[in-house]
């Protein structure tokens, strides 16, 4: 791969098999209607941390004077934060359509897996370099659900299409967001160590997202 974004995508593909398998197991599960609310709750746990995490990375990047990579990260995040703001509320609204009260979701303590997923990035952006967060974003924006998948979920769950609004809208938005991210990455004067850090963050994200999906199925068994 001749570009940094291409090399990052390749690293993600190296660990993507188990994640794809976990998605297939969940989305085609015979008890999908029972499992979907838990999936949405775990999705909320992650998404509600996204904007605060990016804001922290942006502030840390801006504090690195005369660092061109940090400056580029800050510029990308400044624009991207506003594109992601409020998406956690969409998930809560979808859950309310399923009869899951917002207060009940907020009262839940997030799983250790989700805490590790989010927390590992706080560590890397503060103690290594804010560019690490772009690896996380690459994974979160890198698997937009297709219209065909939404159709299958509606048919298999028996839920109205409105229940999958947040999931479906991300399928549309993430295509544009992903392209913007790749352009930003390829515009950075990355050192090899910074590319490695970004790749490690991405691969950790895939691993922990996979584990979170597996836990949903295991806990329902």
């Amino acid at each position: 791969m001749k570009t940094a974004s291409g090399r990052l995508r390749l690293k993600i593909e190296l660990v993507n098999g188990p994640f794809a398998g976990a998605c297939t197991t969940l989305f085609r599960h015979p008890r999908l209607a029972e499992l979907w609310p838990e999936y949405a709750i775990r999705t909320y746990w992650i998404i509600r941390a996204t904007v605060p995490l990016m804001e922290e990375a942006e502030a840390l990047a801006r504090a690195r004077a005369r660092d061109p990579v940090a400056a580029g990260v800050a510029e990308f995040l400044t624009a991207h934060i506003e594109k992601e703001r409020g998406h956690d509320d969409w998930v809560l609204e979808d859950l309310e359509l399923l009869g899951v009260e917002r207060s009940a979701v907020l009262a839940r303590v997030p799983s250790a897996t989700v805490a590790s997923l989010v927390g590992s990035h706080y560590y890397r952006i503060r103690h290594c370099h804010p560019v690490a967060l772009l690896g996380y974003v690459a994974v979160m924006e890198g698997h937009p659900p297709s219209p065909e998948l939404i159709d299958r979920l509606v048919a298999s769950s028996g839920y109205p299409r409105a229940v999958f609004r947040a999931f479906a809208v991300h399928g549309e938005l993430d295509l544009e967001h992903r392209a913007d991210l790749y352009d930003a990455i390829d515009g950075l004067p990355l050192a090899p160590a910074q590319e490695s850090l970004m790749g490690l963050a991405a691969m950790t994200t895939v691993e922990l997202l996979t584990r979170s999906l597996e836990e949903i199925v295991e806990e329902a068994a």
Side-chain angles (χ1 to χ4, degrees), residues 139-173:
V139 174
M140 301 306 293
E141 307 279 16
H143 302 87
S146 67
E148 292 77 18
L149 175 57
I150 303 300
D151 290 343
R152 186 184 306 124
L153 293 173
V154 171
S156 299
S157 68
Y159 290 139
R161 188 171 295 271
V163 164
F164 302 96
R165 182 190 65 146
F167 197 60
V169 170
H170 275 101
E172 301 170 5
L173 296 178

Side-chain angles (χ1 to χ4, degrees), residues 18 27-28 211:
F27 296 158
R28 298 194 177 187
R211 184 60 193 143

Side-chain angles (χ1 to χ4, degrees), residues 101-140:
E101 294 293 334
R102 184 177 296 235
S103 58
V105 179
L106 297 178
R108 288 271 304 271
V109 176
S111 70
T113 300
V114 170
S116 296
L117 168 60
V118 176
S120 65
H121 298 297
Y122 275 107
Y123 186 95
R124 288 191 179 102
I125 65 175
R126 176 166 289 279
H127 298 292
C128 299
H129 194 286
V131 75
L133 193 63
L134 300 191
Y136 168 78
V137 177
V139 174
M140 301 306 293

Side-chain angles (χ1 to χ4, degrees), residues 67-69 72 184-191 194:
D67 179 340
V69 172
I185 289 172
D186 291 335
L188 298 175
L190 293 165
Q194 291 169 331

